[in-house]
Amino acid sequence: MSYEYAIEFHNVTKAYGELQAIDNLNLSIEKGIIFGLVGASGAGKSTLLRTINKLEDIQGGEIIVQGNDITNLRGKELRYYRQKVGMIFQHFSLLDSRNVFNNIALPLECNGFKKDEIARRVNELAEVVGLSDKLQNKTSELSGGQKQRVAIARSLALNPEILLCDEATSALDPKTTKNILALLKKINKELGITIIIVTHQMEVVKEACDEIAILKEGKILDVGNTADIFLSNNTALKTLVDEEEILPESGVNIRLYFPRNFSADHVITTMARKLDIDFSICYGKLEKFQDDVLGSLIINIDEQNKDRVLKYLDEVKIPKEVL
């Protein structure tokens, strides 16, 4: 079966009593990408994630996964479907009574695989996640990053086509988080698995996610390419990013955004010469989005030059925002 999207939500609703966790939500996630569900606590992102593997049932609408409607799956069909959807949890959810080998092997055992098949698959996965030398260790002997690698290997045991990550890095330090994200990106690229990440960490979003949806009160405020959303600095994103900018009170402050194919220095110097005006650079930052470094600047100009500057920026197609 050919399908364009890995997951589609059509008018999905979910409530807990008076609380509307998901409110008539529509969203399509392309296959083969890393997609982020982003929002403050209570936005509905974890609930939405858990509807994909039916840990949460919806009360309205439909969910299409890999071209198939999974909304009403039950019994044997649901068990078979869940083999194709792996999940990684925030706090690892490992069994302390089992060593690393047996934790990874658990899904295989539950699905009746033979011992030699289990051993072969566990060793393959241990190599993928970099734990071949830890298979006989107890989980209590592992660091947080190693525990999450065990959880990732376990989630891949049944060759899933979709991998769900529910705040999978929020219990880890920044360096370990970066290593886990690199592993997820490797899995996405080499195995072609669609990965859905629930997170409130902006660095996770920038480092790993190809596209994101920003949620609030069960609704989508914005969805699109990660870098484009950050560069646009839209209202939805501002609710999540706590960043104070001290700007001049006089004149006009304009934020300029520089995508990957623009040189900030070239644009600024050319504009100053062509328009024959003076301006101040008040604020600037560079941000890393996976393999790209993108930037923004805030400039301050006299009120009398506002229209000329905005017209010039339109001509050279520089995204901007008057603050």
Side-chain angles (χ1 to χ4, degrees):
M1 177 182 292
S2 176
Y3 49 86
E4 180 180 358
Y5 298 108
I7 306 164
E8 300 169 75
F9 299 93
H10 297 159
N11 304 114
V12 170
T13 60
K14 170 72 178 182
Y16 302 101
E18 300 276 324
L19 175 64
Q20 194 71 40
I22 306 174
D23 190 359
N24 198 38
L25 183 143
N26 290 278
L27 175 66
S28 297
I29 299 174
E30 293 182 20
K31 61 182 178 179
I33 69 171
I34 300 180
F35 191 94
L37 297 174
V38 186
S41 296
K45 54 191 186 295
S46 289
T47 299
L48 186 64
L49 185 82
R50 292 163 70 91
T51 66
I52 298 171
N53 59 2
K54 291 186 66 66
L55 291 179
E56 296 280 358
D57 281 324
I58 62 175
Q59 294 154 337
E62 61 181 12
I63 302 175
I64 310 298
V65 178
Q66 313 280 46
N68 297 304
D69 188 347
I70 61 105
T71 310
N72 298 309
L73 289 182
R74 294 291 185 273
K76 183 178 180 180
E77 289 182 334
L78 177 56
R79 289 193 296 273
Y80 177 76
Y81 163 71
R82 281 179 171 160
Q83 294 178 15
K84 298 300 180 183
V85 183
M87 189 162 186
I88 309 167
F89 300 91
Q90 177 179 356
H91 293 295
F92 322 131
S93 298
L94 302 178
L95 298 178
D96 292 337
S97 60
R98 286 174 162 247
N99 62 17
V100 170
F101 181 99
N102 289 319
N103 266 281
I104 299 173
L106 185 59
L108 299 164
E109 293 174 4
C110 292
N111 282 275
F113 282 73
K114 296 178 180 178
K115 285 187 177 181
D116 60 336
E117 294 175 319
I118 292 174
R120 183 169 60 252
R121 182 63 176 154
V122 169
N123 280 289
E124 288 174 356
L125 292 169
E127 186 170 348
V128 169
V129 302
L131 291 177
S132 295
D133 61 336
K134 301 291 184 182
L135 286 174
Q136 301 308 315
N137 286 65
K138 293 288 188 181
T139 58
S140 60
E141 300 171 344
L142 304 180
S143 67
Q146 289 171 332
K147 289 178 180 179
Q148 196 58 287
R149 287 174 181 270
V150 176
I152 292 171
R154 182 186 58 191
S155 73
L156 297 174
L158 299 175
N159 290 305
E161 297 172 356
I162 294 172
L163 185 59
L164 310 179
C165 304
D166 193 0
E167 299 281 9
T169 59
S170 61
L172 306 174
D173 64 76
K175 182 177 179 180
T176 305
T177 292
K178 190 175 183 67
N179 291 336
I180 292 297
L181 293 177
L183 175 58
L184 291 176
K185 288 161 67 175
K186 174 186 173 183
I187 289 168
N188 168 254
K189 182 177 180 180
E190 295 182 1
L191 304 182
I193 296 175
T194 304
I195 299 178
I196 316 297
I197 296 178
V198 161
T199 186
H200 64 276
Q201 298 172 287
M202 292 300 103
E203 292 310 312
V204 170
V205 171
K206 295 172 188 176
E207 180 68 28
C209 297
D210 301 305
E211 297 183 7
I212 62 171
I214 302 174
L215 279 72
K216 182 179 181 181
E217 298 177 350
K219 296 182 179 180
I220 292 179
L221 299 183
D222 203 355
V223 61
N225 175 272
T226 302
D228 291 344
I229 286 180
F230 272 85
L231 282 173
S232 69
N233 204 40
N234 59 31
T235 303
L237 186 64
K238 287 177 181 177
T239 63
L240 299 176
V241 179
D242 182 18
E243 188 174 80
E244 183 179 2
E245 297 161 348
I246 301 174
L247 303 175
E249 295 182 4
S250 61
V252 179
N253 298 305
I254 303 174
R255 188 195 307 273
L256 313 180
Y257 301 100
F258 296 95
R260 61 186 65 84
N261 56 337
F262 278 89
S263 165
D265 289 344
H266 174 73
V267 171
I268 293 297
T269 54
T270 301
M271 181 173 69
R273 287 198 305 267
K274 186 170 184 178
L275 301 184
D276 192 24
I277 62 172
D278 294 322
F279 54 83
S280 301
I281 296 176
C282 308
Y283 179 88
K285 65 178 178 180
L286 294 174
E287 296 187 282
K288 190 172 186 296
F289 294 85
Q290 299 193 41
D291 296 327
D292 290 316
V293 176
L294 309 179
S296 65
L297 286 176
I298 297 177
I299 62 173
N300 179 269
I301 60 174
D302 292 335
E303 179 72 39
Q304 65 190 34
N305 294 321
K306 175 182 175 181
D307 291 340
R308 294 174 63 212
V309 169
L310 294 179
K311 181 180 178 182
Y312 176 82
L313 294 172
D314 284 337
E315 289 173 355
V316 296
K317 296 181 171 55
I318 294 295
K320 65 189 180 303
E321 176 188 11
V322 178
L323 304 176

